[in-house]
Amino acid sequence: MMYSETTESKTFGKQECAKSILLFLFNYIFFLCIVACFIFFNSLNKEETFLSYFRENTDFLGYLLASIFIIFVVVYFYFIFENRAFLAYGKNIFLLFSLINISVIICYFCGYFPNIYARPVALLALLALMLLGRRDAIFLNIVFALIMFVVDRFTNYTTDYVLAVNCSPLMTFSAGMVGIFVGSKVKTRLRSFLTGFVVSIPIVIMSLCLEYPSGRDLLNLLLFSMEGGLLSSVLFMALLPVFEVAFNCVTDYRLRELTDHDAPLMREMKDKAMGTFNHSIVVAHLAEACAIALNEDTAFARAAAYYHDVGKLRQPEYFTENQAGYNPHNELSPELSVDIIRSHAKDGYDLIRSKHLPKALADIAIQHHGTMPIKYFYAKALKMTDGELNIEDFSYPGPKPQTKIAAIIMIADASEAISRTLSDRSPQRVETAVREVIEERMDLGQFDECDITMKDLDVIKETLVSCLTGVYHSRVQYPKLRLKRGGEEERDG
């Protein structure tokens, strides 16, 4: 799954609808300009001129305009019915058509110069898989197969491989589908490269079946077909980082880079807030285990846990895990202390956004405490006043968790913190503590805005108890015995 603005909920009103339609029309015109460039390029190598082609093929050009328009309309209504929030963001529409346009241009020229079987027809499927998700990738792969067929048939495409042009939709579709189903299991860049060999299998089979009766050089066809598959994976690895940065998309590859301990914010946390850094590592372990148990995105859960407390970098000395004996809150009023503590959620959101990191991580940072009260300073304030206090003045401003991953981080964060305070860390005591954490947040309605279920919460509780008893397990007490060279021993006392 891809986490970015494509997965956020935004009202798709009349204004967003009109804007999305205009953007589709703009991209439709832009795509027609690309097709016109293809026709002009072909005319350079033929006797007929660019304008004469248009005069002689008026009927075909009308069919071309209508075909591409219908395909774009189908794409628009697919997202209207399947993922309307996608169209609410103009950046998502440009991402969509950037994938299509770049893939069409690369495939056109790879087919024009080396060989039509050397085209990286699985490129769009692989990119869409990582950037948009498997469901959208399957649909766009079908769309891309149709677009390439239209481009081949109606743009004065010149090739001796007439059968390949006629069968290009099936070839593009089959290679793309293989790339989607194989690529969805790939988690490393080396395996992404090896995916190219698998993608080339349907291209090889179809090219040999199509061209064997014509007596062509089958060895060259085999090499060109292999090139098409490998080029798909190579270009995929080359272009993916560009799309990740340009459109601020989140993929498994980028998440691994962000959770590397040498990532800028991770280095800063190690230097300025080692306690928070260690806490985040443990929470990441807990969140990843919960995500596995719930079949959620484990890579994103781990990254979200790493960055959920980066807001503490603003004033790390005011948080207990970073203190070494001196607590500056002893000199502050409870109200001022609360302002400092609860500001770390908003500070984390702002810091992540200022570093141009994925907004999905920033959302977790600001949601992981929801609207929970900061009970320690609320109780401290109660002792210092005779009147009643508004609990909301001592609570986080929210928003509450909007996703299941955000709810997991909220529970894991609090469970890890409370487990550190337990003198008895037996499974029974840890289970009681985690259950109290979950029940308190349920009573305060912290999970009202996400799709987590009671069954999910039971799974989270069991997973956290198992992990926490492993992390904070008991040890035998070492004897006070000091050994010296020669086997001599010295007892303390």
Side-chain angles (χ1 to χ4, degrees):
M1 181 179 183
M2 187 274 291
Y3 288 85
S4 73
E5 292 175 354
T6 63
T7 57
E8 298 171 22
S9 59
K10 179 180 179 180
T11 303
F12 187 73
K14 294 181 179 179
Q15 183 177 357
E16 287 76 20
C17 180
K19 181 180 177 181
S20 63
I21 292 174
L22 289 175
L23 288 176
F24 261 73
L25 290 175
F26 170 80
N27 282 281
Y28 169 70
I29 296 172
F30 184 78
F31 186 81
L32 292 180
C33 293
I34 294 175
V35 174
C37 290
F38 292 160
I39 297 174
F40 176 76
F41 181 80
N42 281 333
S43 67
L44 297 178
N45 300 317
K46 297 184 66 177
E47 294 181 357
E48 63 178 350
T49 64
F50 178 67
L51 295 178
S52 65
Y53 175 81
F54 282 94
R55 287 194 297 267
E56 296 172 5
N57 298 276
T58 305
D59 296 338
F60 288 109
L61 292 175
Y63 189 84
L64 169 66
L65 296 176
S67 300
I68 296 176
F69 181 77
I70 291 173
I71 291 174
F72 277 43
V73 169
V74 169
V75 172
Y76 184 82
F77 279 99
Y78 166 81
F79 285 102
I80 283 289
F81 289 107
E82 296 295 329
N83 188 5
R84 186 171 299 183
F86 182 93
L87 299 177
Y89 297 88
K91 186 171 70 172
N92 293 338
I93 298 175
F94 281 110
L95 168 63
L96 172 66
F97 286 105
S98 294
L99 290 172
I100 294 175
N101 294 338
I102 291 175
S103 299
V104 168
I105 292 171
I106 292 175
C107 285
Y108 178 83
F109 284 106
C110 286
Y112 190 92
F113 287 108
N115 189 278
I116 193 171
Y117 293 111
R119 301 192 298 189
V121 290
L123 174 60
L124 181 134
L126 293 173
L127 288 173
L129 173 66
M130 288 297 163
L131 297 170
L132 301 178
R134 186 166 67 175
R135 184 185 183 90
D136 292 341
I138 292 173
F139 171 74
L140 290 178
N141 182 54
I142 299 172
V143 169
F144 181 63
L146 295 175
I147 288 177
M148 285 307 303
F149 176 73
V150 172
V151 169
D152 289 346
R153 293 289 295 177
F154 301 108
T155 61
N156 198 23
Y157 194 94
T158 56
T159 180
D160 295 332
Y161 294 90
V162 179
L163 288 175
V165 172
N166 292 331
C167 297
S168 63
L170 181 58
M171 191 181 306
T172 303
F173 171 78
S174 58
M177 292 302 295
V178 170
I180 290 170
F181 290 118
V182 175
S184 60
K185 306 296 182 181
V186 171
K187 301 299 180 182
T188 65
R189 297 190 188 272
L190 176 60
R191 291 187 178 181
S192 295
F193 174 74
L194 297 178
T195 300
F197 289 97
V198 182
V199 168
S200 64
I201 292 176
I203 305 176
V204 169
I205 294 174
M206 295 189 68
S207 64
L208 294 179
C209 291
L210 289 172
E211 304 300 338
Y212 176 77
S214 64
R216 295 184 187 273
D217 188 343
L218 297 184
L219 179 60
N220 281 336
L221 287 176
L222 178 63
L223 294 176
F224 282 128
S225 301
M226 292 291 292
E227 179 185 343
L230 292 175
L231 199 57
S232 295
S233 62
V234 171
L235 291 174
F236 159 71
M237 291 187 292
L239 293 174
L240 183 61
V242 177
F243 281 102
E244 287 175 340
V245 174
F247 295 95
N248 207 12
C249 298
V250 184
T251 65
D252 285 348
Y253 301 116
R254 192 178 185 198
L255 289 175
R256 286 183 175 85
E257 294 170 356
L258 292 175
T259 53
D260 188 282
H261 289 186
D262 285 331
L265 282 181
M266 294 298 100
R267 284 202 309 268
E268 190 174 352
M269 274 221 290
K270 285 193 293 184
D271 294 339
K272 298 181 179 179
M274 179 57 76
T276 299
F277 178 74
N278 291 329
H279 161 72
S280 298
I281 290 177
V282 178
V283 174
H285 167 68
L286 301 176
E288 185 175 15
C290 292
I292 292 173
L294 296 179
N295 198 29
E296 291 292 313
D297 191 324
T298 56
F300 179 73
R302 180 174 61 250
Y306 266 76
Y307 285 84
H308 80 284
D309 267 347
V310 293
K312 293 181 179 180
L313 284 172
R314 182 181 178 186
Q315 301 179 94
E317 68 277 7
Y318 284 92
F319 297 88
T320 306
E321 66 268 23
N322 300 315
Q323 296 170 357
Y326 171 69
N327 188 349
H329 288 289
N330 294 334
E331 302 176 5
L332 303 177
S333 66
E335 290 80 5
L336 183 55
S337 292
V338 164
D339 286 340
I340 294 173
I341 295 299
R342 67 184 175 187
S343 66
H344 85 273
K346 181 62 165 60
D347 290 340
Y349 179 92
D350 294 337
L351 180 59
I352 292 172
R353 296 298 285 163
S354 68
K355 298 294 184 180
H356 304 290
L357 298 179
K359 188 175 183 296
L361 296 180
D363 290 337
I364 299 293
I366 201 172
Q367 295 171 15
H368 78 280
H369 282 299
T371 57
M372 289 293 295
I374 305 174
K375 294 186 291 184
Y376 178 84
F377 293 108
Y378 179 67
K380 184 178 178 179
L382 285 175
K383 294 178 181 179
M384 299 173 62
T385 182
D386 296 331
E388 295 184 356
L389 296 174
N390 186 353
I391 187 65
E392 293 182 0
D393 294 336
F394 293 83
S395 302
Y396 286 95
K400 298 177 182 179
Q402 304 294 306
T403 64
K404 199 174 293 187
I405 294 291
I408 289 174
I409 301 297
M410 168 183 272
I411 298 170
D413 178 47
S415 298
E416 194 279 336
I418 199 171
S419 297
R420 287 177 180 267
T421 66
L422 298 177
S423 56
D424 175 15
R425 292 170 178 163
S426 63
Q428 295 78 14
R429 185 66 188 94
V430 172
E431 192 272 340
T432 300
V434 174
R435 185 177 66 251
E436 290 175 352
V437 166
I438 295 176
E439 289 177 352
E440 180 183 30
R441 281 149 183 77
M442 289 179 60
D443 293 339
L444 295 175
Q446 298 302 302
F447 307 131
D448 292 349
E449 298 177 13
C450 62
D451 59 349
I452 200 165
T453 65
M454 291 297 298
K455 182 178 180 181
D456 294 333
L457 293 174
D458 286 338
V459 172
I460 291 173
K461 182 192 70 174
E462 294 172 3
T463 304
L464 290 177
V465 171
S466 175
C467 292
L468 287 170
T469 52
V471 171
Y472 300 118
H473 57 276
S474 60
R475 290 182 178 271
V476 297
Q477 186 175 0
Y478 292 134
K480 296 181 178 180
L481 183 66
R482 195 183 312 163
L483 298 178
K484 295 184 177 181
R485 291 184 181 179
E488 300 179 4
E489 64 183 50
E490 178 181 324
R491 299 179 183 272
D492 294 340

